Amino acid sequence: VYNKIKTIQPESWGHAFFQEKNMTSSWRLSGGAPLTAHFKRYEITSNRIKFHYELSAGQVSFSVVENPEIETASDGSLVFVRTIRVVDIPKGIDLLCGGNHMEQGENRIELPLANISQEYADRLVSANPAMIWLEKSGCNTCHEMEEPTVGPAYRDIASRYHEKEDAQAQLTQKVLLGGSGVWGSSAMNPHPHLSEDDVARMVRFILDLQPSDNKPVRRKRLVQEIAGDRPGFGQALGGLHPSLKLEQIRPEGFEPRVGGMDVMSDGSLIVSSWDSLGAIYRLRGIDDPENVQITRIASGLAEPLGLKVVDDEIFVLQKHELTHLIDSDGDGLSDVYRTVCDAFGVTADFHEFSYGLDFHEGYFYASLGVAMRLQAHEEQHEDRGTVIRISPDGDFKIIARGLRQPNGIMVSSAGDIFVTENQGQWVPANKIIHVQEGKFYGCQYHTGSRFAALDESPPAVWLPQDEIGNSPGQLAWIFQGLYAGQMLHCDVTHGGLKRSCLEKVNGQWQGAVFRFTQGLEAGTMRMAWEAPDQLLVGGLAMTGNWGWKERYFGLERILLEQDTAFEMHTVSALPDGIAIDFTEPPSVFTQDDITVSQWRYETTSAYGGPKIDLEELAIMSLSSSADGKRYELVLPQMQAGHVIYLRLADDLQSVLGQSLWTGECWYTMNEIPVHPEKNNL
């Protein structure tokens, strides 16, 4: 798909003079038997492109190299020329391409091109330009006609505003300037790139819709409202964690929307950009931002949202394939784009993304999101909404199903697979999921009855929407220091980094998530360790509610310093309650300094979901360890299958006089342990 929706897809320029209408293979044997084409790679040399593919039928196979060009004939007309080189044609085999007999070696096929046809011109004209603009502007990313998603349904907007005299002008300005509060806490981004006339036309179309028979749905903020909220205590943090130091590595003028990143053995950073360029950059000398050498080593990739360096070879996950970038002539630029795997399914839906990339014991791991712009009668491709494993020779295997938009993937040294999941249809809140082979994780969006009989596996950690998550991204282990063995994850819309500690209870991974840091230049998407104490973080934003404070790019280094903060280090499950381990002993800590509540989620076809059976938990007793760092709470009402929320008093101090950095924790209690001994991650 080539368009400008969200500015993330590759763009094509000019007019389409020629389109292949028959998508079946034009290659045949003389007896009529069709040949199967398998694309292998493309390469660019001297500004000319060559496609390499293999044709096969039974035991017969041919290697083909094709160079397509547009040439000008002697009369000034344009000619589409296919120069095709075929090798290894067995004796007695007659090979045809579109009715043309192919000889061993080089063949030339010429197709004269007519002027732009009326059919093409007609496609440029829409009976309702407002609908075209709703799609092109990105509005349809957050709004649908009938159902509320990120924002209200168009028909609900018509219901609320259709009798207001100034609705046209009011809504036009709202779209142009952005804002929040009318339909809940989710903010609508401004759209300064749109003309006021185009916005007015879209608004008029919405207001002219037949109002909904139902009362407009107002999206409620899910944050637990507690008086006196402040950063770290009911609100997002306001700055950088005290144990961290931040360094800028992005030179002035370099503004990448980071879709993937990894580090080469020589210390240079490889970054993919999630924009219309679809570029891959190599940054050398990132210790000195003013003198960083930036080389665009590849471009034209379709939404490169995964990148992994393996033995200094660069692999990129595009929307439709896993690609190996090769510099065959040693000039520092990728001139061969080799297809490792294009066997997984993909459709034209612009919101159907292929996310992340990791490598473990000879295999690549990736996750495939579902399509989000389906009509009522359409179903998802069977390969979508999955975590997959790809072998070096291009085979892929589906590991698990039932994902919606699993933006981050990470494989541990022991082979445990974790992904982050984004709230939406059939996903009541964001998640960190421990992926197990053969399991189903709940999302049935446009899958018909395919998964109706399957049991849903719970996540390791729930990330309540707008409280501790909104658009979670990549995960990363912490390798050393105070938080070694725990994990961090990004969030594009909520911003900053979150910290999680996991444990295995009764064979099930579960654990706690904490606010960790804000203070970065953009919403966070991808991470890469430069050294055990140096983390590189890339950020981005897109139109349509994907971003943090309208900051569209970011690339920074985080240093893990020795100094720490006073906060909860670990929260773990006990047979009769929970245990809190602090980084330092509190000077005083009583039952009056903590409130505990619990709730559960239920998966439905709706976008997101409420907290069900929300209740405050009584604390029967509170006891501490000899060193004062560990406190155990007995909670008689605590239930399995619930989220346990802890809120500490914001005036707590450590014995050294440090104020509490953050006082919130969300612990996912999948299982209650039958005895205290557990296998911590």
Side-chain angles (χ1 to χ4, degrees):
V1 180
Y2 298 97
N3 57 46
K4 293 186 179 180
I5 298 173
K6 283 189 173 293
T7 70
I8 58 177
Q9 295 182 325
E11 299 175 6
S12 58
W13 295 87
H15 299 292
F17 286 93
F18 174 78
Q19 290 182 332
E20 181 69 64
K21 300 197 180 292
N22 181 11
M23 296 306 291
T24 60
S25 175
S26 60
W27 290 89
R28 294 185 177 277
L29 299 179
S30 56
L35 289 156
T36 300
H38 186 194
F39 184 74
K40 307 295 287 185
R41 67 184 186 274
Y42 68 89
E43 63 182 66
I44 302 171
T45 56
S46 302
N47 207 31
R48 294 167 64 91
I49 192 165
K50 292 181 180 179
F51 298 107
H52 293 249
Y53 46 100
E54 186 177 81
L55 303 170
S56 61
Q59 299 300 314
V60 178
S61 64
F62 309 93
S63 296
V64 177
V65 180
E66 178 172 348
N67 169 225
E69 297 282 354
I70 301 293
E71 296 182 1
T72 304
S74 57
D75 62 359
S77 63
L78 296 179
V79 180
F80 177 42
V81 178
R82 300 174 66 183
T83 303
I84 301 171
R85 181 175 179 81
V86 188
V87 297
D88 302 328
I89 302 179
K91 292 182 180 180
I93 295 295
D94 191 10
L95 180 64
L96 294 92
C97 177
N100 300 277
H101 290 270
M102 296 287 102
E103 302 291 339
Q104 185 94 295
E106 191 169 287
N107 301 266
R108 180 180 171 95
I109 300 175
E110 296 184 5
L111 294 171
L113 299 180
N115 292 329
I116 298 176
S117 66
Q118 185 60 43
E119 177 189 2
Y120 177 80
D122 290 343
R123 291 203 303 273
L124 300 179
V125 181
S126 169
N128 193 328
M131 296 184 69
I132 296 294
W133 275 109
L134 285 171
E135 183 66 30
K136 290 183 68 174
S137 65
C139 294
N140 289 351
T141 300
C142 298
H143 304 274
E144 294 185 0
M145 186 62 69
E146 306 291 345
E147 296 293 329
T149 55
V150 177
Y154 291 133
R155 209 172 293 280
D156 287 342
I157 297 172
S159 298
R160 173 166 290 181
Y161 288 97
H162 77 286
E163 293 183 351
K164 293 187 177 181
E165 293 183 1
D166 62 344
Q168 172 82 35
Q170 180 183 348
L171 291 180
T172 298
Q173 291 304 307
K174 184 70 174 289
V175 173
L176 289 170
L177 301 177
S180 64
V182 177
W183 298 91
S185 63
S186 294
M188 180 173 67
N189 288 343
H191 296 80
H193 60 289
L194 298 178
S195 74
E196 188 166 344
D197 288 344
D198 289 328
V199 173
R201 189 180 297 115
M202 290 188 283
V203 169
R204 184 73 269 155
F205 169 77
I206 294 169
L207 293 175
D208 286 343
L209 294 171
Q210 181 69 29
S212 172
D213 293 334
N214 303 318
K215 185 177 181 180
V217 177
R218 179 167 183 151
R219 296 183 58 76
K220 295 182 179 180
R221 188 176 182 220
L222 297 179
V223 177
Q224 198 171 2
E225 297 290 351
I226 301 177
D229 285 358
R230 68 177 183 82
F233 300 84
Q235 294 181 14
L237 292 167
L240 196 67
H241 190 278
S243 70
L244 306 178
K245 179 182 177 182
L246 192 64
E247 294 181 350
Q248 179 61 255
I249 63 172
R250 179 182 60 80
E252 189 72 26
F254 182 55
E255 300 177 351
R257 298 178 181 181
V258 179
M261 59 192 302
D262 206 354
V263 180
M264 304 284 281
S265 63
D266 66 356
S268 58
L269 175 63
I270 309 298
V271 173
S272 66
S273 64
W274 195 22
D275 52 28
S276 61
L277 288 177
I280 310 295
Y281 299 92
R282 185 168 187 166
L283 282 70
R284 300 176 188 269
I286 57 176
D287 289 333
D288 183 4
E290 294 185 0
N291 296 299
V292 172
Q293 296 178 350
I294 302 175
T295 305
R296 192 171 78 188
I297 63 174
S299 63
L301 298 167
E303 299 168 27
L305 288 175
L307 190 150
K308 191 67 180 175
V309 174
V310 180
D311 296 330
D312 274 348
E313 296 291 326
I314 302 169
F315 296 84
V316 181
L317 185 71
Q318 301 188 65
K319 182 184 182 78
H320 61 292
E321 72 168 44
L322 174 61
T323 309
H324 179 197
L325 300 180
I326 302 171
D327 174 14
S328 63
D329 58 9
D331 65 354
L333 306 178
S334 300
D335 43 49
V336 176
Y337 297 62
R338 182 178 72 88
T339 299
V340 177
C341 176
D342 60 0
F344 56 84
V346 67
T347 75
D349 188 288
F350 91 93
H351 204 301
E352 185 186 79
F353 306 123
S354 300
Y355 294 109
L357 193 63
D358 208 347
F359 186 80
H360 177 71
E361 294 187 349
Y363 289 91
F364 292 95
Y365 291 83
S367 46
L368 308 180
V370 299
M372 299 303 301
R373 292 295 170 264
L374 299 177
Q375 298 182 35
H377 68 280
E378 294 178 311
E379 289 192 2
Q380 300 288 348
H381 190 286
E382 64 181 358
D383 292 344
R384 308 306 299 189
T386 59
V387 170
I388 64 173
R389 182 176 66 209
I390 302 173
S391 67
D393 59 4
D395 291 332
F396 86 99
K397 179 181 180 180
I398 292 176
I399 302 298
R401 298 182 181 272
L403 287 308
R404 180 180 176 271
Q405 300 297 341
N407 186 15
I409 188 166
M410 176 183 66
V411 185
S412 75
S413 58
D416 287 300
I417 307 168
F418 292 90
V419 299
T420 55
E421 171 70 297
N422 283 242
Q423 174 189 277
Q425 296 85 347
W426 293 95
V427 185
N430 307 288
K431 307 174 182 179
I432 297 175
I433 297 172
H434 173 235
V435 178
Q436 301 178 72
E437 188 164 351
K439 296 292 187 179
F440 170 71
Y441 291 99
C443 184
Q444 302 185 51
Y445 184 64
H446 278 262
T447 58
S449 59
R450 196 184 306 169
F451 304 131
L454 297 183
D455 293 328
E456 177 185 349
S457 295
V461 180
W462 284 104
L463 307 170
Q465 180 83 349
D466 294 330
E467 295 182 27
I468 190 63
N470 188 295
S471 307
Q474 185 176 349
L475 296 142
W477 299 113
I478 303 174
F479 293 110
Q480 70 176 40
L482 182 63
Y483 305 102
Q486 300 188 15
M487 63 172 68
L488 300 173
H489 75 265
C490 299
D491 197 296
V492 174
T493 303
H494 205 250
L497 299 177
K498 324 302 173 185
R499 175 174 61 88
S500 297
C501 60
L502 272 65
E503 58 184 355
K504 186 176 281 188
V505 179
N506 303 339
Q508 172 71 50
W509 286 114
Q510 60 187 48
V513 60
F514 311 90
R515 305 185 191 277
F516 187 58
T517 191
Q518 289 287 137
L520 306 180
E521 66 175 337
T524 53
M525 177 72 168
R526 296 288 183 253
M527 296 179 283
W529 286 102
E530 186 180 22
D533 61 346
Q534 297 180 22
L535 182 65
L536 305 177
V537 181
L540 57 71
M542 296 294 163
T543 57
N545 203 41
W546 291 354
W548 179 73
K549 296 187 177 180
E550 302 170 35
R551 300 180 184 180
Y552 278 72
F553 47 84
L555 191 58
E556 296 166 290
R557 177 190 288 114
I558 293 176
L559 303 177
L560 279 64
E561 302 282 278
Q562 295 301 314
D563 294 336
T564 187
F566 173 45
E567 61 185 332
M568 289 179 279
H569 178 270
T570 307
V571 171
S572 53
L574 300 173
D576 55 357
I578 59 169
I580 303 173
D581 289 275
F582 288 93
T583 56
E584 295 179 8
S587 58
V588 177
F589 188 62
T590 70
Q591 292 186 28
D592 293 334
D593 294 317
I594 182 171
T595 58
V596 185
S597 58
Q598 72 176 2
W599 65 85
R600 64 183 179 87
Y601 290 109
E602 198 169 278
T603 300
T604 71
S605 61
Y607 185 99
K611 297 174 179 177
I612 300 173
D613 300 332
L614 174 63
E615 62 177 337
E616 187 168 326
L617 298 183
I619 303 172
M620 176 177 287
S621 65
L622 176 67
S623 59
S624 67
S625 62
D627 63 2
K629 284 188 175 183
R630 181 180 177 89
Y631 285 80
E632 296 186 355
L633 288 72
V634 176
L635 305 169
Q637 298 168 275
M638 183 180 75
Q639 296 183 54
H642 285 59
V643 176
I644 311 297
Y645 173 69
L646 310 180
R647 174 72 177 264
L648 307 184
D650 59 6
D651 59 353
L652 276 181
Q653 288 193 331
S654 73
V655 292
L656 299 178
Q658 281 202 84
S659 297
L660 198 62
W661 170 244
T662 176
E664 293 179 281
C665 169
W666 294 259
Y667 184 94
T668 299
M669 187 71 67
N670 289 321
E671 297 279 341
I672 295 177
V674 294
H675 51 77
E677 292 80 18
K678 297 176 294 298
N679 178 16
N680 291 332
L681 184 65

